[in-house]
Amino acid sequence: MATLRIASYNVHRAIGADRRTDPARILAVLREIDADVLALQEVEAHDEGADMLAWLGRQTGFHAVAGTTLQRH
């Protein structure tokens, strides 16, 4: 019997409880979860080019699809 593992994770802009921003820590958690489908919340993308969703997609091999819910200036 095949299984499908789906996970939802609020990455809180990669800011940990220690108040440090560390996208690599988020990547480690995603790898540990080992889900087939991931739904991520609070993934930052900045006008100056920093795109954590694209980076996470490249690092995990997942196809990253953005669902914009808030636009900032």
Side-chain angles (χ1 to χ4, degrees):
M1 174 188 230
T3 60
L4 176 67
R5 181 177 292 191
I6 300 172
S8 176
Y9 182 38
N10 185 328
V11 303
H12 192 65
R13 298 183 340 251
I15 301 171
D18 59 2
R19 298 181 188 209
R20 289 185 317 125
T21 300
D22 188 355
R25 186 166 37 189
I26 300 303
L27 178 59
V29 170
L30 297 179
R31 287 181 171 154
E32 184 177 331
I33 291 171
D34 193 30
D36 300 300
V37 176
L38 293 165
L40 304 177
Q41 297 84 44
E42 295 191 35
V43 180
E44 286 286 301
H46 299 281
D47 292 338
E48 60 270 9
D51 186 344
M52 188 167 55
L53 181 63
W55 180 79
L56 288 170
R58 286 190 305 274
Q59 296 299 312
T60 61
F62 277 77
H63 177 75
V65 178
T68 303
T69 57
L70 175 67
Q71 293 183 358
R72 298 181 186 179
H73 298 297

